[in-house]
Amino acid sequence: MAEDSPFIVDADWLEKRLGEPGLTIIDASWYLPAQNRNAHAEYVAAHIPGARFLDQDAVSDPDSKLPHTLASPQYFAQYVGSMGVSADDTIVVYDGPGLFSAPRAWWMFRVMGVFQVYILNGGLDRWKAEGRPVTAEHTRIAPCVFYPDFDASRVVNLDEMRRIVGSGKSQIADARSPGRFAGTDPEPRPGVRSGHMPGARNVPVAALAENGELLPGDRLRKVIEDAGIDLSKPIVTSCGSGITAAAITLALETLGHTDNRLYDGSWTEWGGLDDTPVVTGKE
């Protein structure tokens, strides 16, 4: 699957290139508490040879009260530079299940000006199941200078999101589960209301992948259009805290839709305020 996505590489492609100069592999795994998985502990126990661990919490803006807020270009550059990642590298990111948190790392690097960045089809779980090489050996890192080229136009903040919801000038695609979107399931973070933004459409992250692989283009298109999204018009992606929204971004870009942006505060910000409009139900 996903042979038609220019942003995905398969395991055969990556395994043949392990150890090549200029290839950087990044474990970008992150999990919800309900998934009961410890991303860093799993990385220490077994990772693709040469992979570095990108902590989705630590790479976030340290001054933000929200989880996973995109860091400043300077902070991001310092963090990934200390990992030995250069903007000139060919970067392959992966997570455990395949398409959960890896798209967020893919999106961050793209927003920071790196376009030779790809996602491993099937993730580490598939890689291990197929008997491909893993190691517990510490990856030796030579820190370097990462030169960011930040594109702020791809990120939506709260004030602009208020205007978008009020005017309807962009469609909103929400990657949370149907229960959280409808408000029938509680939010995992305390103090956050249930429901969704008026006018938003639900495109659950789980609907975009099968067996850890991005769906083929025709099926991706159907999932998105069946959710009520018009691919000829602007789209803002959102989720719980900005992680899985990037999976919708990946799907949109795969389909050639480039007029999309990501609401970084996502539902944790919107649902955590008292003065933002919230609706419940499937629509």
Side-chain angles (χ1 to χ4, degrees):
M1 279 192 225
E3 294 90 349
D4 50 355
S5 176
F7 311 112
I8 303 284
V9 296
D10 63 28
D12 286 341
W13 183 96
L14 182 58
E15 188 173 1
K16 290 173 186 172
R17 290 164 175 79
L18 291 180
E20 279 191 2
L23 174 69
T24 297
I25 305 170
I26 295 175
D27 184 329
S29 300
W30 173 87
Y31 300 105
L32 291 163
Q35 291 170 285
N36 199 29
R37 294 180 67 168
N38 183 313
H40 187 258
E42 289 188 23
Y43 167 80
V44 170
H47 52 265
I48 295 175
R52 302 105 195 270
F53 183 75
L54 185 144
D55 186 326
Q56 298 265 14
D57 295 310
V59 76
S60 303
D61 181 356
D63 298 322
S64 175
K65 295 179 181 178
L66 298 169
H68 310 127
T69 303
L70 184 68
S72 69
Q74 295 77 17
Y75 185 92
F76 182 88
Q78 183 179 20
Y79 183 93
V80 299
S82 70
M83 292 170 57
V85 181
S86 164
D88 296 326
D89 292 345
T90 296
I91 300 170
V92 177
V93 297
Y94 69 82
D95 59 32
L99 277 170
F100 186 71
S101 58
R104 171 70 181 193
W106 168 86
W107 176 80
M108 287 193 293
F109 277 110
R110 285 171 60 85
V111 167
M112 295 297 174
V114 179
F115 292 96
Q116 291 292 108
V117 55
Y118 306 94
I119 296 170
L120 174 64
N121 221 8
L124 185 64
D125 295 348
R126 164 87 61 79
W127 180 277
K128 291 195 290 188
E130 292 176 347
R132 298 181 189 272
V134 293
T135 183
E137 188 175 323
H138 180 70
T139 299
R140 298 181 66 179
I141 292 171
C144 66
V145 178
F146 180 95
Y147 294 100
D149 184 11
F150 179 51
D151 184 358
S153 71
R154 303 308 297 266
V155 188
V156 176
N157 62 25
L158 174 63
D159 289 342
E160 188 171 7
M161 200 68 221
R162 288 182 188 272
R163 292 194 293 271
I164 288 169
V165 169
S167 68
K169 70 175 185 177
S170 283
Q171 302 168 98
I172 304 165
D174 189 325
R176 290 177 300 149
S177 67
R180 290 174 64 189
F181 179 86
T184 55
D185 291 344
E187 284 297 306
R189 294 179 177 88
V192 178
R193 293 176 289 165
S194 296
H196 58 268
M197 290 172 263
R201 294 288 183 263
N202 192 203
V203 184
V205 62
L208 301 172
E210 194 171 79
N211 300 320
E213 297 184 356
L214 187 68
L215 294 177
D218 57 340
R219 292 177 62 191
L220 273 183
R221 184 177 298 276
K222 187 175 190 308
V223 167
I224 292 168
E225 291 179 343
D226 284 355
I229 299 288
D230 184 343
L231 287 163
S232 69
K233 296 179 180 177
I235 300 168
V236 173
T237 64
S238 181
C239 60
S241 65
I243 295 278
T244 58
I248 303 180
T249 306
L250 171 68
L252 295 174
E253 294 281 339
T254 292
L255 294 171
H257 184 286
T258 56
D259 191 2
N260 63 78
R261 311 168 72 198
L262 189 148
Y263 170 35
D264 202 36
S266 282
W267 192 252
T268 301
E269 180 173 55
W270 190 272
L273 296 170
D274 295 329
D275 64 341
T276 46
V278 171
V279 295
T280 56
K282 294 181 180 179
E283 296 292 333

